[in-house]
Amino acid sequence: MFFCYPKRPYGAVGRAIAALACQQLLPLSALQLANIVHFIADDTARHRLSTNASCIRPGSSVELHNTDTDERGWLQLVYPSQACYRRSCISIVSPLGAALIGKAPDASIQLTVLRQRLHFRVLTVLNVTHRQTRRS
């Protein structure tokens, strides 16, 4: 997930910053926890998310643009048990994942990891919904 690297080439530190932005870090800030709880547990939010095809939610594939480095990349937002940094599957409780919940295309995201500021813009959101087949 090279596109998550900070602007300045820090080598190993840059890789660590990118990895930490996509890994689950506890404790969460109160705002991050409130966003996660709101969008997962609230039935009205869940209904609103299911009807808004462009809203980022668990399972969404997202194309991000790193506005500092002008690089683009895809990632998938998943639940913590499914997260795998090497497969570009990031947890909803990671700093970047928590910042993405509920966002739509063209949203700006800013987060700080190890005192390094990261800036992203959401370019594309893909959500796959499976229709239930009717049985006769």
Side-chain angles (χ1 to χ4, degrees):
M1 296 195 359
F2 64 90
F3 66 92
C4 288
Y5 287 18
K7 185 176 184 177
R8 292 181 218 121
Y10 290 117
V13 174
R15 288 190 295 276
I17 290 169
L20 288 174
C22 300
Q23 298 294 324
Q24 176 177 334
L25 296 177
L26 294 176
L28 299 173
S29 71
L31 181 59
Q32 288 173 326
L33 186 57
N35 279 342
I36 292 167
V37 169
H38 175 74
F39 282 99
I40 293 176
D42 186 14
D43 288 332
T44 58
R46 188 173 295 178
H47 174 70
R48 186 171 61 249
L49 286 174
S50 66
T51 58
N52 185 351
S54 64
C55 188
I56 298 174
R57 59 181 181 259
S60 297
S61 291
V62 182
E63 182 183 20
L64 290 179
H65 174 237
N66 184 329
T67 57
D68 294 326
T69 63
D70 203 35
E71 295 182 7
R72 298 172 181 218
W74 285 88
L75 57 84
Q76 184 176 20
L77 197 61
V78 297
Y79 291 105
S81 63
Q82 301 165 323
C84 179
Y85 177 73
R86 290 188 176 142
R87 292 184 310 163
S88 297
C89 295
I90 66 164
S91 171
I92 59 172
V93 295
S94 69
L96 181 56
L100 287 170
I101 291 281
K103 298 289 193 271
D106 206 35
S108 293
I109 297 167
Q110 297 179 19
L111 61 133
T112 304
V113 178
L114 296 178
R115 295 172 45 185
Q116 178 67 41
R117 200 106 174 124
L118 302 173
H119 302 90
F120 299 100
R121 178 165 299 282
V122 177
L123 298 177
T124 309
V125 177
L126 298 177
N127 289 309
V128 177
T129 56
H130 300 283
R131 295 184 185 246
Q132 301 223 355
T133 58
R134 294 186 183 191
R135 295 185 183 180
S136 304

